[in-house]
Structures are given as C-alpha cells and as structure tokens.
Amino acid sequence: MDDSSATLKWETGSLTANDEYILEILESVGLIDAKQASSTLATAQDKDKPVIDVLVDTGVAKKMDILKALAGQFGMEIIDLAGHDIPQDVIDAVPADVARRYKIVPAYKIDNTLTVAISDPLDVETLDSLRYVLKCNVEGAVAPSEQIATALNQYYPQGQSGAVETMLEEITEGSVAVPTTAMQELIGEDVEVSETDAPIIKLVSLVILEAFRNRASDIHLEPMAKKFRIRYRIDGVLHEVESPPKRLQAAIVSRIKIMSNMSIAEKRIPQDGRIQINVMGRDLDLRVSTIPSSHGESVVMRILDKEGLMLGLPQLGFLSDDQQTFERLIGMSDGILLVTGPTGSGKTTTLYACLNQINRPDRKIITVEDPVEYQLAGINQVHVRSDIGLTFSAALRSILRQAPNIIMIGEIRDLETAEIAVNASLTGHLVFSTLHTNDAPSAITRIMDIGVKPFLVASSTRGIMAQRLVRKICSSCKTEYQPTDLELRLLGPHAEQVRQAKLYRGAGCNDCNHTGYKGRWGLFEIFTINDEVRHMIYEQVTASDLRRKARELGMRTLREDGLRKALAGMTTLQEVLRVTMGDAAL
C-alpha cells in the first residue's frame, strides 16, 4: 500500500473488509444478482483484487453505476469534477499535503460545511480524520478516482509546499516562538539545550502537548518510505496529523529515546521506556515503545493520565441494572471475577475502577501487573519482571503469604498462574483478572483449555464480564436522525427495535474537533455463574451451549447493551455496529 494513503481503500488493489457489504448493497438495489455476487467474491479472493475492479473487469457492472448505487445508500451525491470549477477560496480551505495525503479534492463550501470529493463512500475514517485536521464539518461526495487524481494535479501542483513543511523550515532556521509554561515543563528547565537541538526538542514537546490537549491515548510516529507519519489515537480511532519532513525523523526519534532513557545507539532491537512529565498541572506517564521497521524505528507513546483514571462505575457506562449486578459480584468475599475483551477494550480501566470502589482501610489489596500502569493510593502494586525471575506465578506465590483480602492479576497467561489464582479464590481471596476472549462464556472454555480442571473452574468462578468501548456522542452538537436502510439491514433481528425510535449522533463542532464524538463508554456482557451453569461446566459443555444457557438466564449480549445505549442517546448506532460486528448472528 502506498504510504501516502490514510486508510485502506478499494483502489489499492487488495481485499478490504467492506467487500461483502459492497456486494450486498449492489444486490439489494438490483445492479447484480446473488449468483454474480457469489462468483465476484470468489474471483476477488482468488486474485486478491477488490470486488469493484472484478465487477468492472468482467463487465458485470459499470464503475459509475456502482459508485451511484453506493453513494445513494450513504446519502452522498455524485460529483463530476471534470465539469466542476472549484473556487480558489475552497481550494485554500484544504492544504496541499492534506489533499494529497487523503486523496481528496474540496468541491464546495456552504457555511461551515466543506464537501470533498472521495472515491470510496465507505471510507468513513478519512472523513473523520479530515474533520479533525481541518477543524470544520466535512461531508463526502463521490467521484471516480481518475477525476480526483486529475483535479489534484490541476489544483495542487507537486511543487506546492505543505503548511507543516514551511513551518518546520522556519523552526530549523531559528524563528521559534518562546514556549509556553506547559512546554517548559515538557522540555525541562534544567536541560542544557544547544542552538542546533532546540527546535527538535520544542517540536517533540509540541507533539506531546497537542496530543494531551486533544485527549489522545496514544501517539504513533511511523517511518514510511517517503515521509514520517504522526497519528493520534483519540477515543479509540487513529487521526493523522500534519507530518514533519522525513529529514527530521532520526532527530525526533533520538530526542524521544533520550527523554525515555533508552539507548540512542541501539537501533536494531525493540526498546521500552517511560517518560514522567507534568503538563498543564496534570501528572502524566508516557509509556514508550520503539521497534525497528523497514524505514527506521517506529515509536508509540501511550499517554497514561493518572487523574483521568479515577472513575466510578457509572462513568464507565454501566446502566443501573448492570451496575447493581456488577457491584454484587465485586462485593463478594471470595472467588474469581474475570474481565474479557481484546486489547484496548478498557479491561484495565475497569479493574482499577473496581479496586477504587472496594478500597477501604479494613481490606488489603495487592496487584500483580506487567507493567504497573497507574499508581493507586492505599494499594500494594507489584511490577512483574521476567528478566529477573519475577513472573506472574512467582509473584503470586509470594503475595499469598502477605495475607491479602483482594488480589488483582493483570492477565492470566499460563496454567501455573491460573492454578494459583483458582487456589487463592478457593481459600478465601477475591481475585480479579483479565483474559483475551471475544465474549463472556468463552472465558470458561479458555480457562479449561489452559489446563485448569473443570471442577476447579466451576467452584471458583463467580462471574465474567466481556466489554468493548464505543465513542460517546458529543453533548455540544448532539442531534436527532433516522437510521439508514443499511444500518437497519445490518442489525438483522434487532432492526424493528430501532426502526421508529429516536436516535442521535453528533453533527460536529469545535468541542469534538468536528468528529461528533467526545469520550468513550463501555458496552458490557455480564455472565453470572449459578448452580445450573456450574453443573454444565462440570459436564464440559461447549462455549456455544454455555452462551445459550446464559441468554436463557437473562444475559444481554454486547450488541443488545449497545442498542440500549444508542436508544438512550449515549452513543450512535454506527458505533454499536462497528464494535459488535461479531455479535451479528446472535
């Protein structure tokens, strides 16, 4: 894939996850039939080509007809750039480097809404990124990729320098404004800075400061063949920001490695480090990771905001009935409570919120983590260090002699850790931990697959909660809307539940950087273990049988919880569909 592409589009020549959706849409509008859809998908998979190209190459459909059908489904217009004269003030609204990076052309602007020509109407991520970068509301209109390429060359000649390039050239020449107090704290008042190094130090500080101001959880610095890309992960979604020139790549990476106490001479192996800073009165930890890649070292800085962690259960997104169930589980005197989900689904935040809820002077709480991400007052936290033999299992064996009431294990990874956790729960300890499974009932079979005996799993487990994160609707620009036909079709059996309901989304404003979202909530699937389920675990039934029984006992799936929150105006239907696609058949 060309390194200037912001996202994977159908034009790149490789299969996308949207191929089946595209065929479904084209079939629903009568452009192709079921047989043509099936054969097209098989050919696309066999030749590793996008379904759009296969349909056009085989003569099944014309490209313009396909674009019209897809655009119609997403409420977009078709625009003919060949016959469209774009005013200069509209062109000036999008810098050249942004237009070329995202392969878009601004078409027209009405009030604060800019309409841009894109080749892929399913590419919602590019529109989200443009709203963030351009600080205005951005809508899409569909145009053939060939017309967009021609318009880019016409309105943005290759020699035109991008705004960031110009700014950084000025920085390199020394014309830099005096940094703010917050930036002085980032740079460090006691650091001796040469005239040559100062611009790079200030640039790195600006990157960190801007990420914090925009509520980013991660900063990604990625070396490409011809550029050095910087992206912020905001509310779980990556947004590309203006990139520094490629020539500054080595200097920027070296500065970050110095700040995080890494070896700047070692570039062949991955390294980990940590930066502790105070920004605008807030204590932040930045967990830094570098790894060698084809075009240099890739750097990820994870921003750990200590103050942002002190959440109660309602702030996590629990509705009242689920909160009561969960509070009952974490209030038990013994047993295991597991929180499951993929990486980045908020499991650690949930566990910390649990510890905050039950942390009292009459209870001793010990955690075993890899690494300790946040320091919690009144809690004993152990940092796993495998290099000196302090593994999860070794730490657990020792902390049981510390007579804790409650133990938190960062993750159950192997049989030894799992057995110690089970034994601890059976001897009067309350144990919290995490697993990587897609749903709650699958955690039972996962623990048994690790090697724990079924009767031990049944006796020790009190409850399991699977979770995902969805973005909150921005409260400043929240507006009502009707679900699209495609959204209703993707909901399947749940469609009638929302067809006539009031749904909301964010229109985009300055508060949310015109994304329509600000912050995140959790979606939860809580599986409470009772005697009937314990008997099934003894019998070693499958995960699907456990899930069926859990549904009979009243467990709501992640999608069902998401629909409740969409109907309550907490998130959008689009977000629920995005994060619960694996729930579609349930």
PDB file of all heavy atoms in Angstrom, residues 97-132:
ATOM      1  N   ASP A  97      -0.773  19.273   1.227  1.00  0.00           N
ATOM      2  CA  ASP A  97      -0.313  18.000   1.774  1.00  0.00           C
ATOM      3  C   ASP A  97      -1.486  17.174   2.309  1.00  0.00           C
ATOM      4  O   ASP A  97      -1.477  15.946   2.244  1.00  0.00           O
ATOM      5  CB  ASP A  97       0.743  18.225   2.861  1.00  0.00           C
ATOM      6  CG  ASP A  97       0.226  19.071   4.015  1.00  0.00           C
ATOM      7  OD1 ASP A  97      -0.580  19.981   3.767  1.00  0.00           O
ATOM      8  OD2 ASP A  97       0.638  18.824   5.164  1.00  0.00           O
ATOM      9  N   VAL A  98      -2.525  17.851   2.840  1.00  0.00           N
ATOM     10  CA  VAL A  98      -3.700  17.133   3.340  1.00  0.00           C
ATOM     11  C   VAL A  98      -4.486  16.526   2.180  1.00  0.00           C
ATOM     12  O   VAL A  98      -4.906  15.359   2.219  1.00  0.00           O
ATOM     13  CB  VAL A  98      -4.603  18.082   4.168  1.00  0.00           C
ATOM     14  CG1 VAL A  98      -5.902  17.387   4.559  1.00  0.00           C
ATOM     15  CG2 VAL A  98      -3.852  18.555   5.406  1.00  0.00           C
ATOM     16  N   ALA A  99      -4.696  17.300   1.120  1.00  0.00           N
ATOM     17  CA  ALA A  99      -5.441  16.804  -0.039  1.00  0.00           C
ATOM     18  C   ALA A  99      -4.765  15.591  -0.661  1.00  0.00           C
ATOM     19  O   ALA A  99      -5.420  14.589  -0.988  1.00  0.00           O
ATOM     20  CB  ALA A  99      -5.589  17.918  -1.070  1.00  0.00           C
ATOM     21  N   ARG A 100      -3.436  15.668  -0.803  1.00  0.00           N
ATOM     22  CA  ARG A 100      -2.725  14.544  -1.419  1.00  0.00           C
ATOM     23  C   ARG A 100      -2.625  13.344  -0.480  1.00  0.00           C
ATOM     24  O   ARG A 100      -2.684  12.200  -0.914  1.00  0.00           O
ATOM     25  CB  ARG A 100      -1.327  14.994  -1.857  1.00  0.00           C
ATOM     26  CG  ARG A 100      -1.359  15.931  -3.049  1.00  0.00           C
ATOM     27  CD  ARG A 100       0.002  16.134  -3.680  1.00  0.00           C
ATOM     28  NE  ARG A 100      -0.118  16.856  -4.932  1.00  0.00           N
ATOM     29  CZ  ARG A 100      -0.424  16.298  -6.105  1.00  0.00           C
ATOM     30  NH1 ARG A 100      -0.641  14.987  -6.156  1.00  0.00           N
ATOM     31  NH2 ARG A 100      -0.523  17.014  -7.189  1.00  0.00           N
ATOM     32  N   ARG A 101      -2.475  13.619   0.821  1.00  0.00           N
ATOM     33  CA  ARG A 101      -2.378  12.520   1.784  1.00  0.00           C
ATOM     34  C   ARG A 101      -3.653  11.677   1.786  1.00  0.00           C
ATOM     35  O   ARG A 101      -3.607  10.458   1.797  1.00  0.00           O
ATOM     36  CB  ARG A 101      -2.111  13.073   3.181  1.00  0.00           C
ATOM     37  CG  ARG A 101      -1.936  12.003   4.256  1.00  0.00           C
ATOM     38  CD  ARG A 101      -2.000  12.611   5.651  1.00  0.00           C
ATOM     39  NE  ARG A 101      -1.227  13.844   5.745  1.00  0.00           N
ATOM     40  CZ  ARG A 101      -1.452  14.778   6.649  1.00  0.00           C
ATOM     41  NH1 ARG A 101      -2.423  14.652   7.529  1.00  0.00           N
ATOM     42  NH2 ARG A 101      -0.709  15.861   6.690  1.00  0.00           N
ATOM     43  N   TYR A 102      -4.810  12.345   1.774  1.00  0.00           N
ATOM     44  CA  TYR A 102      -6.085  11.628   1.861  1.00  0.00           C
ATOM     45  C   TYR A 102      -6.714  11.350   0.492  1.00  0.00           C
ATOM     46  O   TYR A 102      -7.771  10.727   0.416  1.00  0.00           O
ATOM     47  CB  TYR A 102      -7.070  12.414   2.725  1.00  0.00           C
ATOM     48  CG  TYR A 102      -6.663  12.469   4.177  1.00  0.00           C
ATOM     49  CD1 TYR A 102      -6.086  13.617   4.724  1.00  0.00           C
ATOM     50  CD2 TYR A 102      -6.827  11.372   5.009  1.00  0.00           C
ATOM     51  CE1 TYR A 102      -5.697  13.675   6.050  1.00  0.00           C
ATOM     52  CE2 TYR A 102      -6.445  11.412   6.335  1.00  0.00           C
ATOM     53  CZ  TYR A 102      -5.880  12.569   6.857  1.00  0.00           C
ATOM     54  OH  TYR A 102      -5.494  12.590   8.175  1.00  0.00           O
ATOM     55  N   LYS A 103      -6.065  11.849  -0.593  1.00  0.00           N
ATOM     56  CA  LYS A 103      -6.561  11.650  -1.956  1.00  0.00           C
ATOM     57  C   LYS A 103      -7.990  12.163  -2.099  1.00  0.00           C
ATOM     58  O   LYS A 103      -8.900  11.450  -2.526  1.00  0.00           O
ATOM     59  CB  LYS A 103      -6.459  10.172  -2.353  1.00  0.00           C
ATOM     60  CG  LYS A 103      -5.019   9.667  -2.421  1.00  0.00           C
ATOM     61  CD  LYS A 103      -4.934   8.229  -2.921  1.00  0.00           C
ATOM     62  CE  LYS A 103      -3.489   7.789  -3.019  1.00  0.00           C
ATOM     63  NZ  LYS A 103      -3.357   6.379  -3.445  1.00  0.00           N
ATOM     64  N   ILE A 104      -8.176  13.424  -1.704  1.00  0.00           N
ATOM     65  CA  ILE A 104      -9.486  14.076  -1.805  1.00  0.00           C
ATOM     66  C   ILE A 104      -9.312  15.441  -2.463  1.00  0.00           C
ATOM     67  O   ILE A 104      -8.198  15.978  -2.509  1.00  0.00           O
ATOM     68  CB  ILE A 104     -10.166  14.231  -0.418  1.00  0.00           C
ATOM     69  CG1 ILE A 104      -9.270  15.051   0.555  1.00  0.00           C
ATOM     70  CG2 ILE A 104     -10.483  12.883   0.173  1.00  0.00           C
ATOM     71  CD1 ILE A 104      -9.580  16.522   0.588  1.00  0.00           C
ATOM     72  N   VAL A 105     -10.413  15.987  -2.963  1.00  0.00           N
ATOM     73  CA  VAL A 105     -10.413  17.332  -3.530  1.00  0.00           C
ATOM     74  C   VAL A 105     -11.612  18.081  -2.965  1.00  0.00           C
ATOM     75  O   VAL A 105     -12.739  17.568  -3.016  1.00  0.00           O
ATOM     76  CB  VAL A 105     -10.504  17.295  -5.077  1.00  0.00           C
ATOM     77  CG1 VAL A 105     -10.669  18.701  -5.633  1.00  0.00           C
ATOM     78  CG2 VAL A 105      -9.272  16.642  -5.667  1.00  0.00           C
ATOM     79  N   PRO A 106     -11.420  19.283  -2.385  1.00  0.00           N
ATOM     80  CA  PRO A 106     -12.568  20.050  -1.903  1.00  0.00           C
ATOM     81  C   PRO A 106     -13.422  20.494  -3.080  1.00  0.00           C
ATOM     82  O   PRO A 106     -12.906  21.006  -4.081  1.00  0.00           O
ATOM     83  CB  PRO A 106     -11.921  21.239  -1.186  1.00  0.00           C
ATOM     84  CG  PRO A 106     -10.583  21.386  -1.825  1.00  0.00           C
ATOM     85  CD  PRO A 106     -10.143  20.007  -2.200  1.00  0.00           C
ATOM     86  N   ALA A 107     -14.746  20.313  -2.984  1.00  0.00           N
ATOM     87  CA  ALA A 107     -15.633  20.634  -4.099  1.00  0.00           C
ATOM     88  C   ALA A 107     -16.337  21.967  -3.890  1.00  0.00           C
ATOM     89  O   ALA A 107     -16.345  22.820  -4.771  1.00  0.00           O
ATOM     90  CB  ALA A 107     -16.659  19.522  -4.282  1.00  0.00           C
ATOM     91  N   TYR A 108     -16.944  22.161  -2.727  1.00  0.00           N
ATOM     92  CA  TYR A 108     -17.592  23.437  -2.422  1.00  0.00           C
ATOM     93  C   TYR A 108     -17.784  23.545  -0.926  1.00  0.00           C
ATOM     94  O   TYR A 108     -17.692  22.565  -0.187  1.00  0.00           O
ATOM     95  CB  TYR A 108     -18.929  23.591  -3.157  1.00  0.00           C
ATOM     96  CG  TYR A 108     -19.911  22.466  -2.933  1.00  0.00           C
ATOM     97  CD1 TYR A 108     -20.770  22.461  -1.830  1.00  0.00           C
ATOM     98  CD2 TYR A 108     -20.000  21.413  -3.837  1.00  0.00           C
ATOM     99  CE1 TYR A 108     -21.673  21.435  -1.632  1.00  0.00           C
ATOM    100  CE2 TYR A 108     -20.903  20.377  -3.642  1.00  0.00           C
ATOM    101  CZ  TYR A 108     -21.735  20.398  -2.541  1.00  0.00           C
ATOM    102  OH  TYR A 108     -22.621  19.375  -2.333  1.00  0.00           O
ATOM    103  N   LYS A 109     -18.060  24.783  -0.463  1.00  0.00           N
ATOM    104  CA  LYS A 109     -18.240  25.025   0.960  1.00  0.00           C
ATOM    105  C   LYS A 109     -19.463  25.895   1.173  1.00  0.00           C
ATOM    106  O   LYS A 109     -19.616  26.937   0.534  1.00  0.00           O
ATOM    107  CB  LYS A 109     -16.992  25.700   1.556  1.00  0.00           C
ATOM    108  CG  LYS A 109     -17.026  25.825   3.082  1.00  0.00           C
ATOM    109  CD  LYS A 109     -15.698  26.332   3.626  1.00  0.00           C
ATOM    110  CE  LYS A 109     -15.708  26.334   5.159  1.00  0.00           C
ATOM    111  NZ  LYS A 109     -14.426  26.801   5.725  1.00  0.00           N
ATOM    112  N   ILE A 110     -20.356  25.444   2.077  1.00  0.00           N
ATOM    113  CA  ILE A 110     -21.550  26.198   2.433  1.00  0.00           C
ATOM    114  C   ILE A 110     -21.522  26.399   3.943  1.00  0.00           C
ATOM    115  O   ILE A 110     -21.526  25.419   4.705  1.00  0.00           O
ATOM    116  CB  ILE A 110     -22.839  25.472   2.003  1.00  0.00           C
ATOM    117  CG1 ILE A 110     -22.851  25.256   0.483  1.00  0.00           C
ATOM    118  CG2 ILE A 110     -24.080  26.247   2.452  1.00  0.00           C
ATOM    119  CD1 ILE A 110     -24.017  24.435  -0.014  1.00  0.00           C
ATOM    120  N   ASP A 111     -21.492  27.659   4.362  1.00  0.00           N
ATOM    121  CA  ASP A 111     -21.351  28.000   5.781  1.00  0.00           C
ATOM    122  C   ASP A 111     -20.086  27.333   6.330  1.00  0.00           C
ATOM    123  O   ASP A 111     -19.012  27.529   5.791  1.00  0.00           O
ATOM    124  CB  ASP A 111     -22.602  27.571   6.556  1.00  0.00           C
ATOM    125  CG  ASP A 111     -23.840  28.337   6.107  1.00  0.00           C
ATOM    126  OD1 ASP A 111     -23.677  29.507   5.704  1.00  0.00           O
ATOM    127  OD2 ASP A 111     -24.943  27.761   6.124  1.00  0.00           O
ATOM    128  N   ASN A 112     -20.225  26.484   7.377  1.00  0.00           N
ATOM    129  CA  ASN A 112     -19.050  25.826   7.959  1.00  0.00           C
ATOM    130  C   ASN A 112     -18.920  24.370   7.525  1.00  0.00           C
ATOM    131  O   ASN A 112     -18.198  23.595   8.128  1.00  0.00           O
ATOM    132  CB  ASN A 112     -19.116  25.901   9.496  1.00  0.00           C
ATOM    133  CG  ASN A 112     -17.779  25.583  10.142  1.00  0.00           C
ATOM    134  OD1 ASN A 112     -16.738  26.033   9.664  1.00  0.00           O
ATOM    135  ND2 ASN A 112     -17.799  24.798  11.215  1.00  0.00           N
ATOM    136  N   THR A 113     -19.634  23.988   6.471  1.00  0.00           N
ATOM    137  CA  THR A 113     -19.593  22.611   5.984  1.00  0.00           C
ATOM    138  C   THR A 113     -18.854  22.548   4.655  1.00  0.00           C
ATOM    139  O   THR A 113     -19.255  23.196   3.677  1.00  0.00           O
ATOM    140  CB  THR A 113     -21.005  22.035   5.822  1.00  0.00           C
ATOM    141  OG1 THR A 113     -21.660  22.040   7.095  1.00  0.00           O
ATOM    142  CG2 THR A 113     -20.948  20.609   5.297  1.00  0.00           C
ATOM    143  N   LEU A 114     -17.768  21.780   4.644  1.00  0.00           N
ATOM    144  CA  LEU A 114     -16.962  21.600   3.439  1.00  0.00           C
ATOM    145  C   LEU A 114     -17.292  20.244   2.820  1.00  0.00           C
ATOM    146  O   LEU A 114     -17.253  19.223   3.505  1.00  0.00           O
ATOM    147  CB  LEU A 114     -15.474  21.676   3.790  1.00  0.00           C
ATOM    148  CG  LEU A 114     -14.481  21.454   2.640  1.00  0.00           C
ATOM    149  CD1 LEU A 114     -14.530  22.625   1.670  1.00  0.00           C
ATOM    150  CD2 LEU A 114     -13.068  21.263   3.185  1.00  0.00           C
ATOM    151  N   THR A 115     -17.625  20.227   1.543  1.00  0.00           N
ATOM    152  CA  THR A 115     -17.884  18.966   0.837  1.00  0.00           C
ATOM    153  C   THR A 115     -16.660  18.614   0.010  1.00  0.00           C
ATOM    154  O   THR A 115     -16.162  19.435  -0.767  1.00  0.00           O
ATOM    155  CB  THR A 115     -19.113  19.086  -0.079  1.00  0.00           C
ATOM    156  OG1 THR A 115     -20.262  19.380   0.727  1.00  0.00           O
ATOM    157  CG2 THR A 115     -19.363  17.785  -0.827  1.00  0.00           C
ATOM    158  N   VAL A 116     -16.151  17.399   0.209  1.00  0.00           N
ATOM    159  CA  VAL A 116     -14.952  16.947  -0.502  1.00  0.00           C
ATOM    160  C   VAL A 116     -15.298  15.751  -1.371  1.00  0.00           C
ATOM    161  O   VAL A 116     -16.177  14.950  -1.041  1.00  0.00           O
ATOM    162  CB  VAL A 116     -13.812  16.577   0.478  1.00  0.00           C
ATOM    163  CG1 VAL A 116     -13.445  17.774   1.331  1.00  0.00           C
ATOM    164  CG2 VAL A 116     -14.193  15.387   1.344  1.00  0.00           C
ATOM    165  N   ALA A 117     -14.597  15.649  -2.489  1.00  0.00           N
ATOM    166  CA  ALA A 117     -14.777  14.512  -3.397  1.00  0.00           C
ATOM    167  C   ALA A 117     -13.877  13.367  -2.949  1.00  0.00           C
ATOM    168  O   ALA A 117     -12.671  13.543  -2.773  1.00  0.00           O
ATOM    169  CB  ALA A 117     -14.431  14.927  -4.828  1.00  0.00           C
ATOM    170  N   ILE A 118     -14.483  12.190  -2.717  1.00  0.00           N
ATOM    171  CA  ILE A 118     -13.735  10.984  -2.359  1.00  0.00           C
ATOM    172  C   ILE A 118     -14.118   9.871  -3.319  1.00  0.00           C
ATOM    173  O   ILE A 118     -15.191   9.901  -3.930  1.00  0.00           O
ATOM    174  CB  ILE A 118     -14.012  10.547  -0.900  1.00  0.00           C
ATOM    175  CG1 ILE A 118     -15.501  10.236  -0.700  1.00  0.00           C
ATOM    176  CG2 ILE A 118     -13.569  11.617   0.080  1.00  0.00           C
ATOM    177  CD1 ILE A 118     -15.836   9.666   0.655  1.00  0.00           C
ATOM    178  N   SER A 119     -13.264   8.887  -3.457  1.00  0.00           N
ATOM    179  CA  SER A 119     -13.552   7.794  -4.393  1.00  0.00           C
ATOM    180  C   SER A 119     -14.262   6.629  -3.735  1.00  0.00           C
ATOM    181  O   SER A 119     -14.845   5.795  -4.413  1.00  0.00           O
ATOM    182  CB  SER A 119     -12.245   7.294  -5.027  1.00  0.00           C
ATOM    183  OG  SER A 119     -11.380   6.777  -4.025  1.00  0.00           O
ATOM    184  N   ASP A 120     -14.222   6.558  -2.384  1.00  0.00           N
ATOM    185  CA  ASP A 120     -14.804   5.421  -1.661  1.00  0.00           C
ATOM    186  C   ASP A 120     -15.822   5.930  -0.645  1.00  0.00           C
ATOM    187  O   ASP A 120     -15.450   6.450   0.398  1.00  0.00           O
ATOM    188  CB  ASP A 120     -13.680   4.647  -0.954  1.00  0.00           C
ATOM    189  CG  ASP A 120     -14.197   3.426  -0.205  1.00  0.00           C
ATOM    190  OD1 ASP A 120     -15.422   3.214  -0.187  1.00  0.00           O
ATOM    191  OD2 ASP A 120     -13.365   2.683   0.363  1.00  0.00           O
ATOM    192  N   PRO A 121     -17.127   5.789  -0.908  1.00  0.00           N
ATOM    193  CA  PRO A 121     -18.134   6.279   0.044  1.00  0.00           C
ATOM    194  C   PRO A 121     -18.148   5.519   1.361  1.00  0.00           C
ATOM    195  O   PRO A 121     -18.730   5.988   2.329  1.00  0.00           O
ATOM    196  CB  PRO A 121     -19.457   6.080  -0.720  1.00  0.00           C
ATOM    197  CG  PRO A 121     -19.163   5.057  -1.751  1.00  0.00           C
ATOM    198  CD  PRO A 121     -17.734   5.230  -2.126  1.00  0.00           C
ATOM    199  N   LEU A 122     -17.519   4.348   1.430  1.00  0.00           N
ATOM    200  CA  LEU A 122     -17.455   3.590   2.670  1.00  0.00           C
ATOM    201  C   LEU A 122     -16.308   4.031   3.561  1.00  0.00           C
ATOM    202  O   LEU A 122     -16.184   3.567   4.696  1.00  0.00           O
ATOM    203  CB  LEU A 122     -17.301   2.085   2.386  1.00  0.00           C
ATOM    204  CG  LEU A 122     -18.588   1.323   2.028  1.00  0.00           C
ATOM    205  CD1 LEU A 122     -19.009   1.634   0.604  1.00  0.00           C
ATOM    206  CD2 LEU A 122     -18.380  -0.173   2.197  1.00  0.00           C
ATOM    207  N   ASP A 123     -15.468   4.936   3.067  1.00  0.00           N
ATOM    208  CA  ASP A 123     -14.267   5.341   3.810  1.00  0.00           C
ATOM    209  C   ASP A 123     -14.617   6.424   4.830  1.00  0.00           C
ATOM    210  O   ASP A 123     -14.262   7.592   4.679  1.00  0.00           O
ATOM    211  CB  ASP A 123     -13.190   5.811   2.843  1.00  0.00           C
ATOM    212  CG  ASP A 123     -11.867   6.076   3.542  1.00  0.00           C
ATOM    213  OD1 ASP A 123     -11.740   5.692   4.730  1.00  0.00           O
ATOM    214  OD2 ASP A 123     -10.971   6.666   2.922  1.00  0.00           O
ATOM    215  N   VAL A 124     -15.331   6.029   5.893  1.00  0.00           N
ATOM    216  CA  VAL A 124     -15.760   6.964   6.921  1.00  0.00           C
ATOM    217  C   VAL A 124     -14.560   7.499   7.698  1.00  0.00           C
ATOM    218  O   VAL A 124     -14.556   8.642   8.165  1.00  0.00           O
ATOM    219  CB  VAL A 124     -16.760   6.274   7.882  1.00  0.00           C
ATOM    220  CG1 VAL A 124     -17.199   7.227   8.981  1.00  0.00           C
ATOM    221  CG2 VAL A 124     -17.966   5.765   7.107  1.00  0.00           C
ATOM    222  N   GLU A 125     -13.515   6.687   7.833  1.00  0.00           N
ATOM    223  CA  GLU A 125     -12.351   7.099   8.632  1.00  0.00           C
ATOM    224  C   GLU A 125     -11.673   8.333   8.050  1.00  0.00           C
ATOM    225  O   GLU A 125     -11.241   9.221   8.796  1.00  0.00           O
ATOM    226  CB  GLU A 125     -11.351   5.944   8.730  1.00  0.00           C
ATOM    227  CG  GLU A 125     -10.188   6.237   9.652  1.00  0.00           C
ATOM    228  CD  GLU A 125      -9.224   5.060   9.769  1.00  0.00           C
ATOM    229  OE1 GLU A 125      -9.650   3.920   9.543  1.00  0.00           O
ATOM    230  OE2 GLU A 125      -8.054   5.306  10.076  1.00  0.00           O
ATOM    231  N   THR A 126     -11.589   8.415   6.714  1.00  0.00           N
ATOM    232  CA  THR A 126     -10.972   9.584   6.092  1.00  0.00           C
ATOM    233  C   THR A 126     -11.776  10.846   6.394  1.00  0.00           C
ATOM    234  O   THR A 126     -11.211  11.895   6.711  1.00  0.00           O
ATOM    235  CB  THR A 126     -10.847   9.377   4.567  1.00  0.00           C
ATOM    236  OG1 THR A 126      -9.767   8.472   4.317  1.00  0.00           O
ATOM    237  CG2 THR A 126     -10.548  10.680   3.851  1.00  0.00           C
ATOM    238  N   LEU A 127     -13.103  10.759   6.327  1.00  0.00           N
ATOM    239  CA  LEU A 127     -13.937  11.922   6.633  1.00  0.00           C
ATOM    240  C   LEU A 127     -13.761  12.339   8.091  1.00  0.00           C
ATOM    241  O   LEU A 127     -13.701  13.530   8.406  1.00  0.00           O
ATOM    242  CB  LEU A 127     -15.404  11.617   6.328  1.00  0.00           C
ATOM    243  CG  LEU A 127     -15.742  11.373   4.850  1.00  0.00           C
ATOM    244  CD1 LEU A 127     -17.216  11.010   4.696  1.00  0.00           C
ATOM    245  CD2 LEU A 127     -15.403  12.579   3.989  1.00  0.00           C
ATOM    246  N   ASP A 128     -13.681  11.348   8.999  1.00  0.00           N
ATOM    247  CA  ASP A 128     -13.445  11.664  10.418  1.00  0.00           C
ATOM    248  C   ASP A 128     -12.110  12.376  10.601  1.00  0.00           C
ATOM    249  O   ASP A 128     -12.000  13.356  11.346  1.00  0.00           O
ATOM    250  CB  ASP A 128     -13.461  10.385  11.257  1.00  0.00           C
ATOM    251  CG  ASP A 128     -14.871   9.934  11.594  1.00  0.00           C
ATOM    252  OD1 ASP A 128     -15.799  10.731  11.394  1.00  0.00           O
ATOM    253  OD2 ASP A 128     -15.041   8.784  12.027  1.00  0.00           O
ATOM    254  N   SER A 129     -11.068  11.868   9.935  1.00  0.00           N
ATOM    255  CA  SER A 129      -9.737  12.473  10.057  1.00  0.00           C
ATOM    256  C   SER A 129      -9.717  13.889   9.500  1.00  0.00           C
ATOM    257  O   SER A 129      -9.094  14.786  10.062  1.00  0.00           O
ATOM    258  CB  SER A 129      -8.697  11.610   9.331  1.00  0.00           C
ATOM    259  OG  SER A 129      -8.576  10.350   9.946  1.00  0.00           O
ATOM    260  N   LEU A 130     -10.432  14.106   8.389  1.00  0.00           N
ATOM    261  CA  LEU A 130     -10.467  15.444   7.796  1.00  0.00           C
ATOM    262  C   LEU A 130     -11.176  16.434   8.716  1.00  0.00           C
ATOM    263  O   LEU A 130     -10.770  17.594   8.827  1.00  0.00           O
ATOM    264  CB  LEU A 130     -11.163  15.390   6.433  1.00  0.00           C
ATOM    265  CG  LEU A 130     -10.363  14.740   5.297  1.00  0.00           C
ATOM    266  CD1 LEU A 130     -11.245  14.525   4.082  1.00  0.00           C
ATOM    267  CD2 LEU A 130      -9.157  15.597   4.924  1.00  0.00           C
ATOM    268  N   ARG A 131     -12.233  15.994   9.395  1.00  0.00           N
ATOM    269  CA  ARG A 131     -12.926  16.889  10.335  1.00  0.00           C
ATOM    270  C   ARG A 131     -11.969  17.319  11.448  1.00  0.00           C
ATOM    271  O   ARG A 131     -11.994  18.459  11.889  1.00  0.00           O
ATOM    272  CB  ARG A 131     -14.153  16.180  10.924  1.00  0.00           C
ATOM    273  CG  ARG A 131     -15.254  15.929   9.905  1.00  0.00           C
ATOM    274  CD  ARG A 131     -16.483  15.270  10.532  1.00  0.00           C
ATOM    275  NE  ARG A 131     -17.424  14.865   9.499  1.00  0.00           N
ATOM    276  CZ  ARG A 131     -17.705  13.608   9.171  1.00  0.00           C
ATOM    277  NH1 ARG A 131     -17.133  12.627   9.829  1.00  0.00           N
ATOM    278  NH2 ARG A 131     -18.569  13.337   8.212  1.00  0.00           N
ATOM    279  N   TYR A 132     -11.137  16.369  11.871  1.00  0.00           N
ATOM    280  CA  TYR A 132     -10.174  16.678  12.923  1.00  0.00           C
ATOM    281  C   TYR A 132      -9.079  17.613  12.427  1.00  0.00           C
ATOM    282  O   TYR A 132      -8.742  18.607  13.069  1.00  0.00           O
ATOM    283  CB  TYR A 132      -9.564  15.382  13.456  1.00  0.00           C
ATOM    284  CG  TYR A 132      -8.403  15.598  14.393  1.00  0.00           C
ATOM    285  CD1 TYR A 132      -8.616  15.969  15.710  1.00  0.00           C
ATOM    286  CD2 TYR A 132      -7.095  15.454  13.948  1.00  0.00           C
ATOM    287  CE1 TYR A 132      -7.562  16.191  16.572  1.00  0.00           C
ATOM    288  CE2 TYR A 132      -6.028  15.671  14.801  1.00  0.00           C
ATOM    289  CZ  TYR A 132      -6.269  16.036  16.110  1.00  0.00           C
ATOM    290  OH  TYR A 132      -5.215  16.259  16.946  1.00  0.00           O
TER     291      TYR A 132
END
